Amino acid sequence: MGGLEKKKYQRGSATNYITRNKARKKLQLSLPDFRRLCILKGIYPHEPRHKKKVNKGSTAARTFYLLKDIKFLLHEPIVNKFREYKIFVRKLRKAYGKSEWGTAERLKDNKPTYKLDHIVKERYPTFVDALRDLDDALSMCFLFSTFPRTGKCHVQTIQLCRRLAVEFLNYVIASRSLRKVFLSIKGIYYQAEVLGQPITWITPYTFAHDHPTDVDYRVMATFTEFYTTLLGFVNFRLYHSLNLHYPPKIDGQAEVEVKPAEGKEYAMDSESYLEKLSALSASLARVVAPTQEDDVEMDEFPVEGETAEQMDARRKEQEALEKHKKLFEGLRFFLNREVPREPLAFVIRCFGGQVSWDKSLCIGATYDVSDPSITHQIVDRPRVEQQVVGRYYLQPQWVFDSVNAKLCLPVADYFPGVLLPPHLSPFVTEQEGDYIPPEKLKLLAMQRGEDPGEETEEEEEEEEEEEEDDNDKDEEEEEEDESEKEEEIKLKKMEEQKAQSNKALPVKVTAGKVRLEDKQRLEQEQQSEEKRLAIMMMKKREKYLYKKIMFGKKRKIREANKLAAKRKAHDTALKEEKKKTKKARRA
Amino acid sequence: MEQPLELESDDDLTDSEESVYSGLEDSGSDSTNSSAAEEEEEEEDEGEQEEPSNGAAPKVKGAPRKSKALGADPPLKDSEGLSVPDEYEEDIRNTVGNIPMEWYQDFPHIGYDLEGKRIYKPIRNKDELDKFLEKMENPDYWRTVQDKMTGADIKLTDEQVDLVHRLQKGQFGDVHFNPYEPAIDFFTHEVMIHPVTNRPADKRSFIPSLIEKEKVSKLVHAIKMGWIKPRKPKEDTPTYYDLWAHEDPNSILGRHKMHVPAPKMKLPGHEESYNPPPEYLLSEEEKLAWEQQEPAERRLNFVPQQYRCLRAVPGYPRFIHERFERCLDLYLCPRQRKMRVNVDPEDLIPKLPKPRDLQPFPTTQALVYRGHSSLVRCLSVSPSGQWLASGSDDGTVRFWEVCTARCMKTLPVGGVVKSIAWNPNPTICLVAVCVEQSVLLVNPCLGDKLLYGATDQVLESYVPPEEERVQPVQWVTATSEEHSRGIRLTVQHSKALKQVTWHGKGDYFATVVADNSNMQVLIHQTSKRWSQNPFRKSKGLVQCVLFHPIRPYFFVATQRYVRVYNLLKQELTKKLMANCKWVSSMAIHPAGDNVICGSYDSKLAWFDLDLSTRPYQLLRHHRKALRSVAFHKHYPLFASGSDDGTVIVCHGMVYNDLLQNPLLVPVKVLKGHTLTMDLGVLDVVFHPTQPWVFSSGADGTVRLYT
């Protein structure tokens, strides 16, 4: 024996964690300040592996921070700024209380401010790290930029968010890095690929928010404070990677076009510039004028360990990507006033299309409705009164669906007033065994270069025609048409049954049936039994895991089946409806 | 005290009444010196002075005459002893000035007149008597006072007396003075159009300040010299620069080692589309179910909806909520690295030898022995394997031929048969049957006639000993009627019996009594018709007992333990912990080194006696309570019957090599018995030579699986 007595909870995991309250006391910060600091520095609680050990034997629910994180916060210069700010507020309150306006003014002038640059650099040591974490920043900035200029948060924040968001959109247009768009009921999702990183963000539909009362806007504002800093630096870097001016400048030649007619002041100069930018119709000025030779084909170096097939596939992928980027190249769009202008303009410009709108709708319209060179006009009204020959009138979903399908979809489904085909999420990649909606199957076939959609439609039409012909005769025949074979089998069975019933006598001596031993089935049964027996011998823990996995698998299959069944029921109902209407029309 | 007050009143130019009052006092002081003779004159003076005082308030301070004139009744004050020397006062009649009058006390005169002649005091030669007489006679005596200045007597007028009275009461001297006039506040909070003071503005208010001029010139000079710079306008817009100009991919901060990046938000599926495929829309029931679920439990946090066109899509009301929740998740949610179990479930299944390779074992149901009308509790097979005995709740024991399923014999015993055991000795044809409180030893008279005849002979050859020994039970020879039915001996116990089991040699058998005392287990010897109680103390409720097949060991299973006793040494050898709640049955491997225990909590424990006193393996194959377990005599098989109606046959290979652990593989689940009264299989017995298993069930049948 001998040696010092080992005390409990003085080593190991208990010393690596610290509760929130203790952390707060150690930092000598109030709870709101601590929260702010955690948000800005990206410190989050950790879930210890052995909670009871860390909690010193107690099982009370507590949040734990890593002690290292808190020690790291101790050296943060911003903590001092927080304290200074607290003092500043106290002084200011005192000055107001004493009605010393001069002092108050002076204090306000010397209001302590802090910068978050070093925190951004610290949290994201490399640029790619920052890009990876850009999703939330973008979503938040887009949300804040839609807030009203009154209440809720500072006007400057809203303006800054708007500016940064517009800058980012312009970058995406300039780099043509948009990949996927999705119109959900929550808002519009975009996915862009920047430097190989997929960046997804959501923007709300442009309606006034009814601001909820159970949301703490201070928390959101703190997040936004950091996000705007991050997004500003990211934008700067992105613009410079494309040789663009930052802050963005509208291309000289485009600027002339965009400039409103003289004498009519649109808005204040600083504001109108942002407006022009946010119109998304003009291209941006570059630091170095681009020359045609800039697009030098990249030399391809074979990567070691890559087979020719893989290389081929890669090249194909590259080509497809290039094609996708130029999806709307050469097309001229015109947006009617009822369609959401910004998302559509953004998407069309991202894929090389030209876009314009009504002059009264927004600044930056480049051509008129009457322009004969317009190829597509996006409308969202049941019918269009005066149609101009030579252009398609389409619903906005066509643009989004085409982008997701990576090809210009047939326009027939998207005419105004037509019942639209379902809008599918481009973010779903179906795996083996998942339910795939038939529209997706059709789309996949179309992407492969087949043209199954039309065929099936034709077939359907033919069928329908046939049906129409048959309708005059008998419905039974119709059924026969559909399933002749089945009918034959049924008939045979009926005959057999009849024969048997004829033979039926009071005393039955039935010949023993020759039971065909289905060898395959037998084997399968045996195998399944073996498996069952083996499962019986599993250890308790493994059996639990196994059952859990199997349960998940079964649930997945069940859900897929349910969806398929629902679809089938829906389709049959639709068909019957069609038939009825047809009959009614005929009658 | 009065002097400052008086001065003040004089200073105050606006307050006329005050000065009048002070005048009264003043005059009092000088009147002390005046003679009584001048009283009239004074009166006159008063009259004269009254006019100016009425006309204008006395304005200039230090006007002796006026103040004196105002003092209408100087003697009054003196009489009260209030007089104070007054520097302002001057009396014409008094030529001595303001000096203490004591100085003239011993002279007949006071001062001198203009010609230098003495001014005489009035003659005062009254003695005490005169004074008294005067006091008595003169009705005005009480109002007569002496003027100290002149030494004359003065009679106070009515007004003066009145004044004195009022002063005594502490009232104001003037009758008409109202002390409670409404106060007029000059410096009110109300803004007045005219200043209170009418003072002309100072000169300094017209002339620029020199000090300020100096200060300004200093500042101007400092600005000129560039010492003071104007305040820079604050920049609102943040400045951005290339933050990652010198990025070091290896610069990982200390905390980043433990950094758990926040998971990205889930990407939306088809159901979130504004125009989803119709199968993703919720039906009415699903919608109802969605509404009834807790918000945290819902798989989707929204109801999928379909809009005809983009124009019809409304704003999402919970957009801000969702962003806020994401924010909360980012800074409040504890993060932990979770290892996703990425296992192929097939890999989890243990690799066992194929049952096909472990044949023979019973696979199919071959025969059903029908006949019992109630649940069949127990089974026993004859050592030859030709006969099967079964005991049932309907109060009968039936003997069957195994191969034909024919009931050879039915023996009514008049009670529930709890346990039945065929004598393992092949030369003896004897069956022990537990019926209520007694064990019947039955000779079924089946098979070889010589054999069962020999058995009878053995039983009859018993010679009772000379001295009767005290026994815990009674051995009764069967009556002739019973004999004809096959019953040979009856061992009557005092309590109901649970189980009977034979020793391998076939001479001894043990019984278990359903009791809590030390008499639970009894060992009987057939040949000597002698019973004994091996235990002195009860160690719990005994469930079943077994003899070791080879060695002289005796296994006693209580609810949770199996105790192994050495019968020769008469001591406890081992105590096996079954790790289950309630042992129901027990079986011993024919080699004697392995024991299995079935329990009511649906577990089967395999003990390797050489290995440990804890189970080598605990098998949870059955879903319900195990009722019985059995080992095969030759084949490496064991079976367990359970309340779930199945018999599970397992391959249980025991190797001679001590290093190799037994191999346990379930090989077959046999089904056939129907559940009645929540009971399934009640007993399981193996055929002694063939790989066949018998099971008896609560449905009143016995089944044979081959």
Side-chain angles (χ1 to χ4, degrees), chain A residues 44 380 423 425 435 562 566, chain B residues 260 273 275 279 286 311:
Chain A
Y44 44 84
D380 197 0
H423 180 61
S425 166
Y435 172 73
K562 196 175 159 194
K566 252 173 143 182
Chain B
V260 186
S273 165
N275 182 17
E279 61 268 33
E286 282 170 330
R311 191 181 63 230

Side-chain angles (χ1 to χ4, degrees), chain A residues 394 398 402 407-414 446 454:
Chain A
L394 295 172
W398 179 81
S402 299
L407 48 93
C408 282
L409 290 172
V411 291
D413 296 339
Y414 298 92
M446 221 186 281
E454 286 178 21

Side-chain angles (χ1 to χ4, degrees), chain A residues 329-581:
Chain A
E329 202 115 293
L331 302 183
R332 278 167 84 83
F333 290 84
F334 188 84
L335 307 181
N336 260 21
R337 57 171 66 252
E338 70 272 9
V339 298
R341 190 198 64 81
E342 197 175 292
L344 273 168
F346 171 61
V347 171
I348 291 167
R349 292 258 299 134
C350 271
F351 293 93
Q354 278 177 296
V355 65
S356 180
W357 45 83
D358 199 283
K359 230 184 277 168
S360 60
L361 181 65
C362 181
I363 197 172
T366 43
Y367 47 84
D368 207 28
V369 206
S370 51
D371 195 323
S373 61
I374 291 172
T375 55
H376 293 76
Q377 185 165 347
I378 309 297
V379 295
D380 197 0
R381 47 182 82 178
R383 90 190 101 94
V384 183
E385 293 299 332
Q386 294 169 327
Q387 294 206 352
V388 178
V389 181
R391 66 174 77 160
Y392 292 120
Y393 287 86
L394 295 172
Q395 295 205 39
Q397 197 190 319
W398 179 81
V399 176
F400 298 102
D401 277 353
S402 299
V403 166
N404 292 338
K406 300 182 182 176
L407 48 93
C408 282
L409 290 172
V411 291
D413 296 339
Y414 298 92
F415 286 145
V418 163
L419 191 69
L420 288 166
H423 180 61
L424 297 175
S425 166
F427 301 111
V428 181
T429 45
E430 277 91 357
Q431 264 128 21
E432 199 62 34
D434 284 352
Y435 172 73
I436 308 176
E439 287 84 9
K440 180 95 180 186
L441 287 174
K442 216 191 268 180
L443 189 74
L444 287 175
M446 221 186 281
Q447 277 171 346
R448 263 180 266 124
E450 298 162 22
D451 211 353
E454 286 178 21
E455 271 178 37
T456 50
E457 269 176 34
E458 278 172 23
E459 271 176 29
E460 272 175 27
E461 275 173 29
E462 277 173 24
E463 256 179 50
E464 276 171 22
E465 276 171 27
E466 276 176 26
E467 276 173 28
E468 279 166 33
D469 295 336
D470 293 337
N471 274 344
D472 300 334
K473 299 169 189 174
D474 264 331
E475 286 195 357
E476 283 171 30
E477 279 186 353
E478 196 179 302
E479 277 173 26
E480 242 181 2
D481 264 4
E482 282 177 2
S483 54
E484 257 178 62
K485 279 183 187 173
E486 275 181 29
E487 200 73 352
E488 274 176 28
I489 292 164
K490 264 188 194 171
L491 275 175
K492 270 184 189 173
K493 272 185 187 172
M494 291 264 280
E495 275 173 23
E496 275 174 28
Q497 277 176 1
K498 272 181 192 171
Q500 277 180 0
S501 61
N502 284 345
K503 279 177 197 167
L505 290 168
V507 182
K508 241 200 305 197
V509 183
T510 48
K513 277 181 191 168
V514 180
R515 206 181 284 163
L516 278 173
E517 292 249 317
D518 194 347
K519 275 194 181 168
Q520 262 192 341
R521 225 193 78 210
L522 215 65
E523 197 143 308
Q524 257 182 6
E525 265 176 23
Q526 204 171 0
Q527 267 180 1
S528 67
E529 196 186 343
E530 269 171 31
K531 200 169 155 189
R532 245 189 338 245
L533 290 171
I535 288 167
M536 283 198 324
M537 279 306 282
M538 272 162 114
K539 278 175 200 153
K540 206 173 171 185
R541 186 187 292 173
E542 283 180 354
K543 201 190 266 181
Y544 173 72
L545 182 64
Y546 179 81
K547 276 187 179 161
K548 221 167 129 182
I549 294 173
M550 291 321 269
F551 175 77
K553 274 188 173 176
K554 269 179 197 159
R555 190 179 54 190
K556 216 170 173 185
I557 292 168
R558 207 167 53 230
E559 271 166 17
N561 287 344
K562 196 175 159 194
L563 284 177
K566 252 173 143 182
R567 176 67 182 221
K568 207 176 169 189
H570 179 263
D571 281 355
T572 50
L574 212 68
K575 228 174 207 175
E576 272 180 24
E577 190 106 323
K578 247 186 197 173
K579 231 183 250 173
K580 259 184 205 167
T581 51

Side-chain angles (χ1 to χ4, degrees), chain B residues 379-419:
Chain B
L379 284 177
S380 185
V381 191
S382 72
S384 61
Q386 198 181 354
W387 314 107
L388 174 72
S390 67
S392 163
D393 269 14
D394 58 3
T396 58
V397 173
R398 281 174 188 261
F399 295 91
W400 315 82
E401 194 176 17
V402 169
C403 299
T404 56
R406 186 168 164 209
C407 180
M408 302 300 290
K409 208 170 175 186
T410 307
L411 178 68
V413 290
V416 173
V417 182
K418 281 280 172 67
S419 173

Side-chain angles (χ1 to χ4, degrees), chain B residues 96 255 283 315 482 485 493 660:
Chain B
V96 292
R255 69 183 207 85
S283 61
E482 282 175 340
R485 284 195 287 151
H493 291 67
Q660 210 164 355

Side-chain angles (χ1 to χ4, degrees), chain B residues 93-337:
Chain B
R93 306 300 305 270
N94 181 6
T95 54
V96 292
N98 196 11
I99 54 155
M101 285 299 136
E102 289 86 49
W103 294 351
Y104 283 95
Q105 209 168 13
D106 301 333
F107 299 97
H109 67 276
I110 294 175
Y112 306 87
D113 62 3
L114 281 172
E115 282 110 37
K117 285 180 182 164
R118 289 175 175 174
I119 299 169
Y120 287 95
K121 290 179 192 172
I123 299 149
R124 283 193 164 274
N125 47 4
K126 287 177 188 168
D127 57 356
E128 289 297 312
L129 191 63
D130 288 338
K131 274 184 189 170
F132 178 73
L133 285 175
E134 198 177 354
K135 190 180 174 183
M136 286 289 111
E137 286 165 7
N138 193 0
D140 291 334
Y141 177 79
W142 61 275
R143 59 163 80 178
T144 313
V145 291
Q146 191 189 14
D147 188 353
K148 272 183 186 162
M149 287 291 231
T150 55
D153 285 342
I154 301 164
K155 205 171 89 184
L156 298 179
T157 60
D158 282 346
E159 292 88 45
Q160 282 169 336
V161 170
D162 203 25
L163 183 69
V164 169
H165 280 307
R166 283 199 288 128
L167 284 177
Q168 274 176 333
K169 279 184 199 164
Q171 288 171 339
F172 282 98
D174 191 356
V175 190
H176 307 292
F177 178 70
N178 179 13
Y180 305 111
E181 293 232 12
I184 296 162
D185 196 358
F186 286 96
F187 302 97
T188 60
H189 62 282
E190 287 160 15
V191 181
M192 295 187 279
I193 52 166
H194 298 297
V196 176
T197 60
N198 201 13
R199 205 171 62 175
D202 287 321
K203 186 185 177 185
R204 61 172 180 268
S205 62
F206 302 114
I207 301 170
S209 159
L210 270 177
I211 300 167
E212 276 179 15
K213 191 185 165 193
E214 254 174 38
K215 278 185 181 167
V216 169
S217 67
K218 263 186 191 171
L219 287 174
V220 169
H221 181 66
I223 290 170
K224 270 185 191 166
M225 299 299 283
W227 298 334
I228 295 178
K229 284 187 182 111
R231 185 176 288 133
K232 271 185 208 162
K234 268 210 171 162
E235 276 195 22
D236 277 346
T237 50
T239 51
Y240 299 116
Y241 51 91
D242 195 355
L243 192 67
W244 291 281
H246 309 287
E247 68 182 24
D248 179 12
N250 298 324
S251 72
I252 293 166
L253 292 160
R255 69 183 207 85
H256 278 243
K257 262 184 260 170
M258 296 287 282
H259 181 51
V260 186
K264 292 198 169 187
M265 280 190 94
K266 218 181 134 218
L267 289 171
H270 297 311
E271 60 275 357
E272 208 181 309
S273 165
Y274 86 100
N275 182 17
E279 61 268 33
Y280 286 99
L281 295 173
L282 298 185
S283 61
E284 287 302 317
E285 308 96 71
E286 282 170 330
K287 222 177 263 179
L288 211 68
W290 186 89
E291 271 160 18
Q292 279 168 353
Q293 265 176 330
E294 286 286 312
E297 282 176 359
R298 291 171 184 162
R299 278 194 64 231
L300 295 175
N301 56 3
F302 58 92
V303 181
Q305 267 164 329
Q306 191 171 33
Y307 296 100
R308 206 169 29 77
C309 52
L310 189 57
R311 191 181 63 230
V313 184
Y316 186 60
R318 287 193 56 83
F319 194 92
I320 295 177
H321 277 283
E322 282 189 3
R323 288 320 317 169
F324 179 62
E325 273 156 24
R326 172 68 177 170
C327 287
L328 290 188
D329 280 352
L330 283 178
Y331 91 94
L332 273 184
C333 192
R335 294 187 201 166
Q336 188 181 32
R337 241 177 235 286

Side-chain angles (χ1 to χ4, degrees), chain A residues 3-139:
Chain A
L4 284 173
E5 187 194 355
K6 274 184 193 169
K7 280 186 184 163
K8 237 176 169 186
Y9 309 123
Q10 290 201 343
R11 55 171 69 200
S13 52
T15 53
N16 290 337
Y17 292 92
I18 186 168
T19 61
R20 189 182 62 176
N21 244 359
K22 274 189 187 155
R24 204 175 56 70
K25 272 180 191 151
K26 187 165 187 152
L27 293 168
Q28 300 184 5
L29 287 174
S30 64
L31 196 57
D33 272 347
F34 179 69
R35 185 180 64 199
R36 247 172 111 73
L37 188 66
C38 284
I39 290 171
L40 294 177
K41 292 281 281 181
I43 304 290
Y44 44 84
H46 281 256
E47 184 79 14
R49 191 162 290 159
H50 301 291
K51 199 154 187 191
K52 207 173 160 191
K53 267 186 201 166
V54 173
N55 214 348
K56 313 220 160 118
S58 148
T59 48
R62 286 208 180 91
T63 47
F64 291 100
Y65 288 84
L66 276 182
L67 189 65
K68 269 189 184 174
D69 280 354
I70 299 302
K71 279 187 178 162
F72 170 73
L73 286 182
L74 273 176
H75 305 292
E76 180 54 47
I78 280 199
V79 177
N80 273 334
K81 288 284 180 188
F82 284 168
R83 295 194 185 118
E84 270 174 38
Y85 195 82
K86 208 167 74 184
I87 295 161
F88 157 73
V89 168
R90 201 164 59 211
K91 280 182 181 167
L92 197 67
R93 201 186 303 133
K94 203 170 177 182
Y96 273 121
K98 287 181 170 179
S99 319
E100 292 171 349
W101 312 120
T103 319
E105 204 64 23
R106 181 177 52 77
L107 283 171
K108 266 192 207 164
D109 276 346
N110 293 327
K111 183 177 168 183
T113 54
Y114 53 87
K115 285 193 160 185
L116 299 174
D117 307 6
H118 65 286
I119 293 182
V120 173
K121 178 80 199 247
E122 194 179 83
R123 280 178 68 173
Y124 307 110
T126 62
F127 184 54
V128 176
D129 289 337
L131 284 181
R132 253 179 232 147
D133 233 11
L134 210 58
D135 290 13
D136 293 314
L138 277 171
S139 299

